[in-house]
Amino acid sequence: YPALSPDGEHLAVTIESASQDVWVHELSRGTLTRATFDQGEEFSPVFTHDGTRIAFASVGAGREPAILWQPADGSTPTEPLLAPADGARFPSSFSPRDRVLAYTEEGTRGDADIWLLPLEDRAHPRPLVRTSFQESAATFSPDGAWIAYVSNESGRNEVYVQPHPGPGGKRQISIDGGTSPTWAWSGRELFFRSGDALMSVGVTTQPRFSAQAPRLLFRGPYEEPARPDWPRNYAVSLDDQRFVMIRGEQGAPAEVHVVLSWLAELRGLSRPR
């Protein structure tokens, strides 16, 4: 789950070893620093709009699923951002305008909804899209005036956009299915996944919202989230020209060769000819 800091200097990722933790890669120096040390699973990192803090999902280690956060430089310990719940919660995007976190909350009936958490009033999160379907992966536009998300209300996952905080209805962006939306830093494009394809949609937001037809950017064997309602598995560079993708291992499986009587063979090779 790569996430690029707003200044483009750091990349937060999830690394799985004995535990699952968030690490921060400093791009200019090539250093990789572990950021979380809890004995559980920490994943889906999201930078605040000023880049000073990282929020992430946390499950396991004998506790209920929660959203935690901490300074990006690890200067102080992790603390809860949102109280634990029965269902899993995944942070997805901070609004740059009104200090709000968008997150996905899984229900007990296989549904998922999008909620907004005001950072100034964390005791009172409010639903953004709450239905019997699965809505997830909400992401704010760079100006904070629009929010893109995924819903399967049509029978398959599609990408939608609606104004934030409203009023106004939603607009369908994808045509043949779509997941994992994210905005270009310029605000003039919206990217999303469609199977092994990364798609782009040109958008304008003023004086009203309009979207062009989706176009293919590229295809490749890049990892998708294990489930459509899980956070996106790629990030976009600040110039909107490069993408950080997760690539699975390629090539044939490793082979093990067993050599018998290798000492006799070695002696034969060492004799003078």
Side-chain angles (χ1 to χ4, degrees), residues 263-273:
L263 188 56
E265 183 175 345
L266 180 60
R267 289 195 186 105
L269 292 174
S270 63
R271 290 172 185 167
R273 297 182 182 273

Side-chain angles (χ1 to χ4, degrees), residues 63-141:
R63 60 174 178 268
E64 298 295 328
I67 294 179
L68 311 179
W69 70 343
Q70 67 181 53
D73 61 5
S75 56
T76 60
T78 297
E79 61 180 359
L81 178 59
L82 188 62
D86 293 335
R89 290 169 165 174
F90 312 119
S92 56
S93 180
F94 280 97
S95 167
R97 196 166 58 173
D98 50 6
R99 289 175 53 81
V100 170
L101 171 68
Y103 66 93
T104 300
E105 180 169 314
E106 292 184 340
T108 57
R109 301 185 305 274
D111 57 336
D113 301 307
I114 298 171
W115 288 71
L116 300 179
L117 177 69
L119 299 186
E120 306 300 335
D121 187 14
R122 287 186 263 164
H124 298 94
R126 62 182 186 273
L128 175 71
V129 186
R130 192 181 189 187
T131 71
S132 59
F133 303 104
Q134 284 194 338
E135 294 89 19
S136 61
T139 177
F140 288 101
S141 61

Side-chain angles (χ1 to χ4, degrees), residues 160-180:
Y160 298 85
V161 167
Q162 69 180 51
H164 170 73
K170 64 180 183 293
R171 297 278 301 275
Q172 183 174 328
I173 300 300
S174 58
I175 296 176
D176 296 318
T179 60
S180 302

